[in-house]
Amino acid sequence: MSIETWRIDTTHSSIGFTVRHMVVARVHGRFTRYEGRLFVNGDDLRSAQAEVKIEAASIDTQLEARDTHLRSPDFFDVAAFKRVIFRSRRVVAVGKDRYQVVGDLTIKDFTREVVLDAEFLGRVTDPFGTERLAFSARTSIDRKDFGLTWNKALETGGVFVGERIDIELDVQAVKAAALEKAA
């Protein structure tokens, strides 16, 4: 079997996150512009590889003032660091349709190993004849490990922005050859 290239279908995928706000609440956000490729050898997902590039400026928390602050040098510094990048290094099967995807996540100029807990949701052909793969994945990171250190202490104790970021992905991918035919 040969290695197939798949591209993330961004109209049917999402990259989201949550972070604690003022200790007691959660803020939800997402990135709206990204691209990604998967390289899969038949049905053997253990040998799969992934690369995802996210436009850092596409951060969206549904509050423009907050998004502007997140784009600033206090956080993502999108003028200097345009992309957040994930590149897998290995995939480990941990159960039926469950995997750990180990890879390098780069935010700003900090690269750290992360482990995504992933579930393979299936392979299907849509009504238009396009083959699709679907996955969901989750991980948590400490934002300070990636140079995202801005914060304010609260008078009641705790901090304004939590350190742990929970990341959640829902991905549909289509064969790259199908996309090229459609273009």
Side-chain angles (χ1 to χ4, degrees), residues 3-69:
I3 294 177
E4 300 169 323
T5 301
W6 299 74
R7 295 205 187 279
I8 293 177
D9 175 357
T10 58
T11 61
H12 294 100
S13 300
S14 64
I15 299 175
F17 62 89
T18 57
V19 62
R20 287 284 186 165
H21 178 249
M22 295 182 26
V23 182
V24 297
R26 288 193 175 127
V27 168
H28 297 260
R30 66 187 181 128
F31 290 94
T32 60
R33 291 186 307 273
Y34 50 89
E35 62 184 35
R37 297 179 302 166
L38 308 173
F39 305 96
V40 181
N41 187 1
D43 292 329
D44 183 10
L45 296 177
R46 294 169 302 165
S47 65
Q49 295 180 325
E51 178 180 75
V52 179
K53 296 177 181 177
I54 302 165
E55 286 186 41
S58 75
I59 195 163
D60 176 18
T61 64
Q62 299 183 330
L63 184 61
E64 188 55 40
R66 179 173 45 223
D67 295 344
T68 298
H69 189 203

Coordinates of all heavy atoms in Angstrom, one line a residue, residues 3-69:
I3 N 1.6 5.5 0.5 CA 1.2 6.6 1.4 C 0.3 7.5 0.6 O 0.6 8.0 -0.5 CB 2.4 7.3 1.9 CG1 3.2 6.3 2.8 CG2 2.0 8.5 2.7 CD1 4.5 6.8 3.4
E4 N -0.9 7.8 1.2 CA -1.8 8.8 0.7 C -1.7 10.1 1.4 O -1.6 10.1 2.6 CB -3.3 8.2 0.8 CG -3.5 6.9 0.1 CD -4.8 6.3 0.5 OE1 -5.2 6.4 1.7 OE2 -5.4 5.7 -0.4
T5 N -1.9 11.2 0.6 CA -1.9 12.5 1.2 C -3.3 13.0 1.4 O -4.1 12.9 0.4 CB -1.1 13.5 0.4 OG1 0.3 13.0 0.3 CG2 -1.1 14.9 1.0
W6 N -3.6 13.4 2.6 CA -5.0 13.9 2.9 C -4.8 15.4 3.3 O -3.8 15.7 4.0 CB -5.6 13.1 4.0 CG -5.8 11.7 3.7 CD1 -4.9 10.7 3.6 CD2 -7.1 11.1 3.3 NE1 -5.4 9.5 3.3 CE2 -6.8 9.7 3.1 CE3 -8.4 11.5 3.2 CZ2 -7.8 8.8 2.8 CZ3 -9.4 10.6 2.9 CH2 -9.1 9.2 2.6
R7 N -5.8 16.2 3.0 CA -5.8 17.6 3.4 C -7.0 17.9 4.4 O -8.0 17.4 4.1 CB -5.8 18.6 2.3 CG -4.6 18.5 1.4 CD -4.4 19.8 0.6 NE -3.4 19.6 -0.4 CZ -2.1 19.7 -0.1 NH1 -1.7 19.9 1.1 NH2 -1.2 19.6 -1.1
I8 N -6.7 18.7 5.4 CA -7.8 19.0 6.3 C -8.8 19.8 5.6 O -8.5 20.8 4.9 CB -7.3 19.8 7.5 CG1 -6.4 18.9 8.4 CG2 -8.4 20.3 8.4 CD1 -5.8 19.5 9.6
D9 N -10.1 19.4 5.7 CA -11.2 20.1 5.1 C -11.6 21.2 6.2 O -12.3 20.8 7.1 CB -12.4 19.2 4.8 CG -13.6 19.8 4.4 OD1 -13.7 21.1 4.3 OD2 -14.6 19.1 4.0
T10 N -11.2 22.4 6.0 CA -11.4 23.4 7.1 C -12.8 23.8 7.2 O -13.2 24.4 8.2 CB -10.5 24.6 6.8 OG1 -10.8 25.2 5.5 CG2 -9.0 24.3 6.9
T11 N -13.7 23.5 6.2 CA -15.1 23.9 6.3 C -15.8 22.9 7.2 O -17.0 23.1 7.6 CB -15.8 24.0 5.0 OG1 -15.7 22.7 4.3 CG2 -15.1 25.1 4.1
H12 N -15.2 21.7 7.5 CA -15.8 20.7 8.3 C -15.0 20.3 9.5 O -15.1 19.2 10.0 CB -16.2 19.5 7.4 CG -17.2 19.7 6.4 ND1 -16.9 20.0 5.1 CD2 -18.6 19.8 6.5 CE1 -18.0 20.2 4.4 NE2 -19.0 20.1 5.2
S13 N -14.1 21.2 9.9 CA -13.1 20.9 11.0 C -13.1 22.1 11.9 O -13.6 23.2 11.6 CB -11.7 20.7 10.4 OG -11.7 19.6 9.5
S14 N -12.6 21.9 13.1 CA -12.4 23.0 14.0 C -11.2 22.7 14.9 O -10.8 21.6 15.3 CB -13.7 23.1 14.9 OG -13.9 22.0 15.7
I15 N -10.6 23.8 15.3 CA -9.5 23.9 16.3 C -9.9 24.8 17.4 O -9.9 26.1 17.1 CB -8.1 24.3 15.6 CG1 -7.8 23.3 14.5 CG2 -7.0 24.4 16.7 CD1 -6.5 23.7 13.7
G16 N -10.2 24.3 18.5 CA -10.7 25.2 19.6 C -9.9 25.0 20.9 O -9.1 24.1 21.0
F17 N -10.1 25.9 21.8 CA -9.5 25.8 23.1 C -10.3 26.4 24.2 O -11.3 27.2 23.9 CB -8.1 26.6 23.0 CG -8.2 28.0 22.7 CD1 -8.4 29.0 23.7 CD2 -8.2 28.5 21.4 CE1 -8.5 30.3 23.5 CE2 -8.3 29.8 21.1 CZ -8.5 30.7 22.1
T18 N -10.0 26.1 25.4 CA -10.6 26.7 26.6 C -9.5 27.1 27.6 O -8.5 26.4 27.7 CB -11.7 25.9 27.3 OG1 -11.1 24.6 27.7 CG2 -12.9 25.6 26.4
V19 N -9.8 28.1 28.3 CA -8.8 28.6 29.4 C -9.6 29.2 30.5 O -10.7 29.7 30.3 CB -7.8 29.6 28.8 CG1 -8.5 30.9 28.3 CG2 -6.7 29.9 29.8
R20 N -9.1 29.0 31.7 CA -9.8 29.6 32.9 C -9.7 31.1 32.9 O -8.6 31.6 32.5 CB -9.2 29.0 34.2 CG -9.5 27.6 34.5 CD -11.0 27.5 35.0 NE -11.2 26.1 35.4 CZ -12.2 25.8 36.1 NH1 -13.1 26.7 36.5 NH2 -12.4 24.6 36.5
H21 N -10.7 31.7 33.3 CA -10.8 33.2 33.3 C -11.2 33.6 34.7 O -12.2 33.1 35.2 CB -11.8 33.7 32.3 CG -11.9 35.2 32.3 ND1 -13.1 35.8 32.7 CD2 -11.1 36.2 31.9 CE1 -12.9 37.1 32.6 NE2 -11.7 37.4 32.1
M22 N -10.3 34.3 35.4 CA -10.6 34.8 36.8 C -10.9 33.6 37.7 O -11.8 33.7 38.6 CB -11.7 35.8 36.8 CG -11.2 37.1 36.1 SD -12.4 38.5 36.0 CE -13.4 38.3 37.4
V23 N -10.2 32.5 37.5 CA -10.3 31.3 38.4 C -11.6 30.5 38.2 O -11.5 29.3 38.1 CB -10.0 31.6 39.9 CG1 -10.0 30.3 40.7 CG2 -8.7 32.4 40.0
V24 N -12.7 31.1 38.1 CA -14.0 30.4 38.2 C -14.7 30.2 36.9 O -15.6 29.3 36.9 CB -14.9 31.2 39.2 CG1 -14.4 31.3 40.6 CG2 -15.2 32.6 38.6
A25 N -14.3 30.8 35.9 CA -15.0 30.7 34.6 C -14.1 30.2 33.5 O -12.9 30.1 33.7 CB -15.6 32.0 34.2
R26 N -14.7 29.8 32.4 CA -13.9 29.4 31.2 C -14.2 30.3 30.0 O -15.4 30.6 29.8 CB -14.2 27.9 30.8 CG -13.7 27.0 31.8 CD -13.7 25.6 31.2 NE -13.1 24.7 32.1 CZ -13.7 23.6 32.6 NH1 -14.9 23.2 32.2 NH2 -13.0 22.8 33.4
V27 N -13.2 30.6 29.3 CA -13.3 31.3 28.0 C -13.0 30.3 26.9 O -12.1 29.5 27.0 CB -12.4 32.5 27.9 CG1 -12.4 33.1 26.5 CG2 -12.8 33.6 28.9
H28 N -13.9 30.3 25.9 CA -13.7 29.4 24.7 C -13.3 30.2 23.6 O -13.7 31.3 23.4 CB -15.1 28.7 24.4 CG -15.6 27.8 25.4 ND1 -15.5 26.5 25.4 CD2 -16.3 28.1 26.6 CE1 -16.0 26.0 26.5 NE2 -16.5 26.9 27.2
G29 N -12.4 29.6 22.8 CA -11.9 30.3 21.6 C -11.6 29.3 20.5 O -11.7 28.0 20.7
R30 N -11.3 29.8 19.3 CA -10.9 28.9 18.2 C -10.0 29.7 17.3 O -9.8 30.9 17.4 CB -12.2 28.6 17.5 CG -12.9 29.7 16.8 CD -14.2 29.4 16.2 NE -14.8 30.6 15.6 CZ -15.3 30.7 14.4 NH1 -15.3 29.6 13.6 NH2 -15.8 31.8 13.9
F31 N -9.5 29.0 16.3 CA -8.7 29.5 15.2 C -9.5 29.3 14.0 O -10.0 28.2 13.8 CB -7.3 28.9 15.1 CG -6.4 29.3 16.3 CD1 -6.3 28.5 17.4 CD2 -5.7 30.5 16.3 CE1 -5.5 28.8 18.5 CE2 -4.9 30.8 17.3 CZ -4.8 30.0 18.4
T32 N -9.6 30.3 13.1 CA -10.5 30.2 12.0 C -9.7 30.0 10.7 O -10.4 29.6 9.7 CB -11.3 31.5 11.8 OG1 -10.5 32.6 11.7 CG2 -12.2 31.7 13.1
R33 N -8.4 30.2 10.7 CA -7.6 29.9 9.4 C -6.5 29.0 9.7 O -5.6 29.3 10.6 CB -7.2 31.2 8.8 CG -8.3 32.1 8.3 CD -7.8 33.4 7.6 NE -6.9 34.2 8.3 CZ -7.3 35.1 9.2 NH1 -8.5 35.4 9.4 NH2 -6.4 35.9 9.8
Y34 N -6.5 27.9 9.0 CA -5.4 26.9 9.2 C -5.4 26.0 8.0 O -6.3 25.9 7.2 CB -5.6 26.1 10.5 CG -7.0 25.5 10.7 CD1 -7.3 24.3 10.2 CD2 -8.0 26.3 11.3 CE1 -8.6 23.8 10.3 CE2 -9.3 25.8 11.4 CZ -9.5 24.5 10.9 OH -10.8 24.0 11.0
E35 N -4.3 25.2 7.9 CA -4.2 24.2 6.9 C -3.5 23.0 7.4 O -2.7 23.2 8.4 CB -3.5 24.7 5.6 CG -2.1 25.2 5.9 CD -1.4 25.8 4.7 OE1 -2.1 26.5 3.9 OE2 -0.2 25.6 4.6
G36 N -3.7 21.9 6.9 CA -3.0 20.7 7.4 C -3.0 19.5 6.4 O -3.9 19.5 5.6
R37 N -2.0 18.7 6.6 CA -1.9 17.5 5.8 C -1.7 16.3 6.7 O -1.0 16.4 7.7 CB -0.8 17.7 4.8 CG -0.9 18.8 3.8 CD 0.2 18.9 2.9 NE 1.4 19.1 3.6 CZ 2.7 19.0 3.1 NH1 2.8 18.7 1.9 NH2 3.7 19.3 3.9
L38 N -2.3 15.2 6.2 CA -2.0 13.9 6.9 C -1.4 13.0 5.8 O -1.8 13.0 4.6 CB -3.3 13.3 7.4 CG -4.2 14.2 8.2 CD1 -5.6 13.5 8.5 CD2 -3.5 14.5 9.5
F39 N -0.5 12.2 6.2 CA 0.1 11.2 5.3 C -0.2 9.8 5.9 O 0.3 9.5 7.0 CB 1.6 11.4 5.2 CG 1.9 12.8 4.8 CD1 2.2 13.8 5.7 CD2 1.9 13.1 3.4 CE1 2.5 15.1 5.3 CE2 2.1 14.4 3.0 CZ 2.5 15.4 3.9
V40 N -1.0 9.0 5.2 CA -1.5 7.8 5.8 C -1.2 6.6 4.9 O -1.4 6.7 3.7 CB -3.1 7.9 6.0 CG1 -3.6 6.6 6.6 CG2 -3.4 9.0 6.9
N41 N -0.7 5.5 5.4 CA -0.4 4.3 4.7 C -1.5 3.3 4.9 O -1.5 2.6 5.8 CB 1.0 3.7 5.2 CG 1.4 2.6 4.3 OD1 0.8 2.2 3.4 ND2 2.6 2.0 4.7
G42 N -2.5 3.4 3.9 CA -3.6 2.5 4.0 C -4.4 2.7 5.3 O -4.8 3.8 5.7
D43 N -4.7 1.6 6.0 CA -5.4 1.6 7.2 C -4.5 1.6 8.4 O -5.0 1.6 9.6 CB -6.3 0.4 7.3 CG -7.5 0.5 6.3 OD1 -7.9 1.6 5.9 OD2 -7.9 -0.6 5.8
D44 N -3.2 1.7 8.2 CA -2.2 1.6 9.4 C -2.0 3.0 9.9 O -1.1 3.7 9.5 CB -0.9 1.0 8.9 CG 0.1 0.9 10.1 OD1 -0.3 1.1 11.2 OD2 1.2 0.6 9.8
L45 N -2.8 3.4 10.8 CA -2.7 4.8 11.4 C -1.5 5.0 12.3 O -1.1 6.1 12.5 CB -4.0 5.2 12.1 CG -5.2 5.2 11.3 CD1 -6.5 5.5 12.1 CD2 -5.1 6.2 10.2
R46 N -0.9 3.9 12.7 CA 0.3 4.0 13.5 C 1.5 4.6 12.8 O 2.4 5.1 13.4 CB 0.7 2.6 14.1 CG -0.3 2.1 15.1 CD -0.1 0.6 15.4 NE -0.1 -0.1 14.2 CZ 0.4 -1.3 14.0 NH1 0.9 -2.0 15.0 NH2 0.3 -1.9 12.9
S47 N 1.5 4.5 11.5 CA 2.5 5.0 10.7 C 2.2 6.4 10.1 O 2.9 7.0 9.3 CB 2.9 4.1 9.5 OG 1.9 3.9 8.6
A48 N 1.0 6.9 10.4 CA 0.5 8.2 9.9 C 1.4 9.4 10.4 O 2.0 9.3 11.5 CB -0.9 8.4 10.3
Q49 N 1.4 10.4 9.6 CA 2.1 11.7 10.0 C 1.1 12.8 9.8 O 0.3 12.7 8.9 CB 3.4 11.9 9.2 CG 4.4 10.8 9.5 CD 5.7 11.1 8.7 OE1 5.6 11.5 7.6 NE2 6.8 10.8 9.3
A50 N 1.3 13.9 10.5 CA 0.4 15.0 10.4 C 1.2 16.3 10.5 O 2.2 16.4 11.3 CB -0.7 15.0 11.5
E51 N 0.8 17.3 9.8 CA 1.4 18.7 9.9 C 0.2 19.7 9.8 O -0.6 19.6 8.9 CB 2.4 18.9 8.8 CG 3.0 20.3 8.9 CD 4.0 20.6 7.9 OE1 3.6 20.8 6.7 OE2 5.2 20.6 8.2
V52 N 0.1 20.6 10.8 CA -0.9 21.6 10.8 C -0.3 22.9 11.0 O 0.6 23.1 11.9 CB -2.0 21.3 11.9 CG1 -3.0 22.4 12.0 CG2 -2.6 19.9 11.8
K53 N -0.7 23.9 10.2 CA -0.2 25.3 10.3 C -1.4 26.2 10.6 O -2.3 26.2 9.7 CB 0.6 25.7 9.1 CG 1.8 24.9 8.8 CD 2.5 25.3 7.6 CE 3.7 24.4 7.3 NZ 4.4 24.8 6.1
I54 N -1.4 26.9 11.7 CA -2.5 27.8 12.1 C -2.0 29.2 12.0 O -1.0 29.6 12.5 CB -2.9 27.4 13.5 CG1 -3.3 26.0 13.7 CG2 -4.0 28.4 14.0 CD1 -3.3 25.5 15.1
E55 N -2.9 30.0 11.4 CA -2.6 31.5 11.4 C -2.9 32.0 12.8 O -4.1 32.1 13.2 CB -3.4 32.2 10.3 CG -2.9 31.9 8.9 CD -3.7 32.8 7.9 OE1 -4.0 34.0 8.2 OE2 -4.0 32.2 6.8
A56 N -1.9 32.4 13.5 CA -2.1 32.9 14.9 C -3.1 34.1 14.9 O -3.9 34.2 15.9 CB -0.8 33.3 15.5
A57 N -3.1 35.0 13.9 CA -3.9 36.1 13.9 C -5.4 35.8 13.8 O -6.3 36.6 14.0 CB -3.5 37.1 12.8
S58 N -5.7 34.5 13.4 CA -7.1 34.1 13.2 C -7.8 33.7 14.5 O -8.9 33.2 14.5 CB -7.2 33.0 12.2 OG -6.8 31.8 12.8
I59 N -7.1 34.0 15.7 CA -7.7 33.6 17.0 C -9.1 34.4 17.1 O -9.2 35.6 16.8 CB -6.8 34.0 18.1 CG1 -7.2 33.3 19.4 CG2 -6.5 35.5 18.3 CD1 -6.2 33.2 20.5
D60 N -10.1 33.7 17.7 CA -11.4 34.2 17.8 C -12.0 33.8 19.1 O -12.3 32.6 19.3 CB -12.3 33.8 16.6 CG -13.7 34.3 16.7 OD1 -14.0 35.2 17.5 OD2 -14.6 33.7 16.0
T61 N -12.2 34.7 20.0 CA -12.9 34.4 21.3 C -14.2 35.1 21.4 O -14.8 35.2 22.5 CB -12.0 34.7 22.5 OG1 -11.8 36.2 22.5 CG2 -10.6 34.0 22.5
Q62 N -14.7 35.6 20.4 CA -15.9 36.3 20.3 C -16.0 37.7 21.0 O -17.0 38.2 21.4 CB -17.1 35.4 20.7 CG -17.3 34.2 19.8 CD -18.4 33.4 20.2 OE1 -18.9 33.3 21.3 NE2 -19.0 32.7 19.2
L63 N -14.8 38.2 21.3 CA -14.7 39.5 21.9 C -13.4 40.2 21.3 O -12.3 39.8 21.5 CB -14.5 39.4 23.4 CG -14.5 40.7 24.2 CD1 -15.7 41.6 24.0 CD2 -14.2 40.5 25.6
E64 N -13.7 41.2 20.4 CA -12.6 41.7 19.6 C -11.5 42.4 20.5 O -10.3 42.2 20.1 CB -13.1 42.8 18.6 CG -12.1 43.3 17.6 CD -11.4 42.2 16.8 OE1 -12.1 41.2 16.4 OE2 -10.2 42.3 16.6
A65 N -11.8 43.0 21.6 CA -10.8 43.6 22.4 C -9.9 42.5 23.0 O -8.7 42.7 23.0 CB -11.4 44.4 23.5
R66 N -10.5 41.4 23.4 CA -9.6 40.3 23.9 C -8.8 39.7 22.8 O -7.6 39.4 23.0 CB -10.5 39.3 24.5 CG -9.8 38.1 25.1 CD -10.6 37.1 25.9 NE -11.9 36.8 25.2 CZ -13.1 36.7 25.9 NH1 -13.1 36.9 27.2 NH2 -14.1 36.4 25.2
D67 N -9.4 39.5 21.6 CA -8.6 39.0 20.5 C -7.5 39.9 20.1 O -6.4 39.4 19.8 CB -9.5 38.7 19.3 CG -10.6 37.7 19.6 OD1 -10.5 36.9 20.6 OD2 -11.6 37.6 18.8
T68 N -7.7 41.2 20.1 CA -6.6 42.1 19.8 C -5.5 42.0 20.9 O -4.3 42.0 20.5 CB -7.1 43.6 19.8 OG1 -8.1 43.7 18.8 CG2 -6.0 44.6 19.6
H69 N -5.8 41.8 22.1 CA -4.8 41.6 23.2 C -4.1 40.3 22.9 O -2.8 40.2 23.1 CB -5.5 41.7 24.6 CG -4.4 41.7 25.7 ND1 -4.7 41.3 26.9 CD2 -3.1 42.0 25.7 CE1 -3.7 41.4 27.7 NE2 -2.7 41.8 27.0

